[in-house]
Amino acid sequence: MTAISEQTLDSTTRSRVTDFELSRRLAEVAEKLRRQHSDPDRVLVTITEAAVANVPSAEFASITTVLQGKFVHSAALFGETAGHCDKIQEQLGEGPCLESAIEQTTIRIDDMDSDPRWPQFTDAASALGVKSMICFQLYVEGFNFGALNLHSTRTNAFSAEAESIGSLFAAHAAIAFSSAREEQQIRAALTSRDLIGQAKGMLMERYNLNSQAAFALLAKLSQDTNVKLADLAEQLVADAAKSTG
């Protein structure tokens, strides 16, 4: 009888092994993202690093954000080449990353030298050594969009399997990024509320005002100076700390 370790795995068994390994890796990435949940920028960097490590044939990665539908920014990079590709699209105002982000679709370029869709971009990217590319829509927030972009120096690098894994990974990453942004916004709102409360208390004490009148004065100062209420409150608290320091 042949030992199990010496038997040839059939396709079903190999598939199960592959699925198990992928699940394990995604779990590891999820745990890493969870530990960094309070820092959206760090979450994005981790996403690009993990994408290159886990999606077959990926060599470089970027997360491209398109703000207000037109301003392109590389929010995170793995490899300078990825950043150069983003820069080219920013200059041209078109390309696969932008279209993937805005149109909320997955875009794959198998051969930069033969793909007809964005000739200026593909010529420039090919000159950089990028021969294949795949882009996944990552998040949408109003008129702000994002895409996870993977690059390879080989033609036809990204198989259907790589696209499938990348899609799972991008969806997984988008949830983590959204949660991190939400937590950051909540913390910022709580900090602003605390600063406004401190500033209001200072005005109440200094001018013998009640809470409502102090807030009204703070709001009027904000309007007259064209400074956001939270920023004005922070400035007043900081100035008071300096004067008593």
Side-chain angles (χ1 to χ4, degrees):
M1 180 180 293
T2 305
I4 293 177
S5 60
E6 297 175 1
Q7 294 177 12
T8 301
L9 296 176
D10 61 28
S11 59
T12 301
T13 304
R14 284 197 299 271
S15 177
R16 288 173 181 170
V17 171
T18 301
D19 289 346
F20 175 79
E21 176 64 16
L22 176 60
S23 297
R24 184 186 66 79
R25 290 187 180 187
L26 283 173
E28 290 177 353
V29 172
E31 174 59 24
K32 191 171 184 179
L33 292 172
R34 187 192 65 79
R35 292 196 301 268
Q36 298 167 346
H37 65 91
S38 62
D39 186 348
D41 291 336
R42 186 59 221 171
V43 165
L44 293 182
V45 171
T46 298
I47 289 170
T48 58
E49 293 173 347
V52 171
N54 289 283
V55 178
S57 300
E59 297 174 51
F60 317 110
S62 71
I63 290 178
T64 306
T65 58
V66 185
L67 306 178
Q68 299 177 7
K70 56 182 178 180
F71 299 108
V72 182
H73 171 64
S74 296
L77 295 172
F78 186 92
E80 291 184 3
T81 300
H84 293 324
C85 282
D86 281 358
K87 192 67 178 177
I88 292 167
Q89 292 176 87
E90 178 184 10
Q91 293 168 347
L92 295 174
E94 64 175 16
C97 304
L98 276 68
E99 184 157 332
S100 177
I102 295 173
E103 298 299 327
Q104 304 179 43
T105 186
T106 298
I107 292 177
R108 192 169 85 190
I109 298 176
D110 292 323
D111 186 349
M112 286 289 175
D113 296 324
S114 62
D115 195 293
R117 288 173 288 182
W118 307 277
Q120 288 182 285
F121 168 75
T122 52
D123 285 349
S126 180
L128 290 173
V130 175
K131 300 301 181 180
S132 297
M133 195 169 172
I134 190 166
C135 309
F136 305 93
Q137 190 270 335
L138 191 58
Y139 77 97
V140 178
E141 187 181 70
F143 288 100
N144 298 328
F145 311 91
L148 170 64
N149 317 298
L150 306 178
H151 314 72
S152 175
T153 57
R154 296 187 296 106
T155 58
N156 300 298
F158 297 108
S159 63
E161 179 190 20
E163 182 172 342
S164 178
I165 293 173
S167 296
L168 287 173
F169 192 84
H172 197 68
I175 294 171
F177 178 56
S178 178
S179 297
R181 283 178 61 87
E182 183 177 348
E183 181 171 335
Q184 186 184 56
Q185 289 167 356
I186 290 172
R187 287 203 318 272
L190 291 174
T191 299
S192 296
R193 187 177 68 177
D194 183 54
L195 287 170
I196 290 170
Q198 292 181 55
K200 189 172 69 172
M202 291 164 47
L203 293 176
M204 290 170 64
E205 181 179 357
R206 183 178 303 175
Y207 298 110
N208 194 26
L209 300 172
N210 62 29
S211 177
Q212 187 175 357
F215 184 79
L217 177 58
L218 194 60
K220 187 176 187 307
L221 288 171
S222 173
Q223 184 176 9
D224 291 346
T225 59
N226 197 30
V227 176
K228 290 182 179 179
L229 190 63
D231 293 340
L232 179 61
E234 183 178 13
Q235 183 180 329
L236 289 173
V237 172
D239 290 345
K242 289 179 182 178
S243 64
T244 59

